[in-house]
Amino acid sequence: MNLKLRLAVSGMVTGCVNGLFGGGGGMALVPLLQGWCQVEEKRAFSNCVAVIFLFCLLSAGIYLLRTDLDLLATLPYLLGGLAGGLVGGRLFPGIPTLWLRRIFGLFLLYGGVRYLL
């Protein structure tokens, strides 16, 4: 399978995960980009952020139209997320790939254990 098709399939899987669970597509996209599409790790992380942003906008629009999403209730999360995104974006270039992988793994582990219990 050629690379463009693999990238498209990875995007489709990520979009489905994001749509089904209201987020979390990055948990699927980073490993897919690295392992299946052979994208370098830091590039996979940074591409994931750009892609997930658009997926989240789409998912939020669908939730807004089809559920009782309260945009005002999301404001604290949005403000905190913006602040965290700015800090994380500034720190990203200086953090070694090994530590990014470890931090990402810890978040995956935490989320997995939390959902199982």
Side-chain angles (χ1 to χ4, degrees):
M1 186 179 304
N2 72 27
L3 182 59
K4 286 186 180 185
L5 186 55
R6 286 181 188 210
L7 291 169
V9 170
S10 297
M12 185 178 73
V13 169
T14 303
C16 286
V17 169
N18 212 68
L20 285 170
F21 303 115
M27 288 187 255
L29 186 58
V30 169
L32 283 169
L33 287 178
Q34 285 178 251
W36 200 40
C37 300
Q38 304 303 308
V39 174
E40 184 267 325
E41 275 184 286
K42 272 207 165 184
R43 181 174 239 175
F45 280 111
S46 60
N47 287 349
C48 178
V49 170
V51 169
I52 294 303
F53 172 70
L54 296 173
F55 289 163
C56 287
L57 282 177
L58 177 64
S59 295
I62 291 170
Y63 288 142
L64 185 61
L65 293 172
R66 295 190 175 192
T67 67
D68 59 348
L69 177 63
D70 181 2
L71 285 178
L72 288 177
T74 66
L75 193 57
Y77 303 111
L78 289 172
L79 295 174
L82 285 172
L86 288 170
V87 171
R90 288 195 168 260
L91 293 174
F92 178 77
I95 297 177
T97 305
L98 176 64
W99 281 101
L100 286 174
R101 192 179 321 131
R102 288 177 176 170
I103 294 166
F104 186 69
L106 286 172
F107 276 112
L108 289 175
L109 187 61
Y110 169 77
V113 168
R114 180 105 202 266
Y115 277 105
L116 285 173
L117 300 178

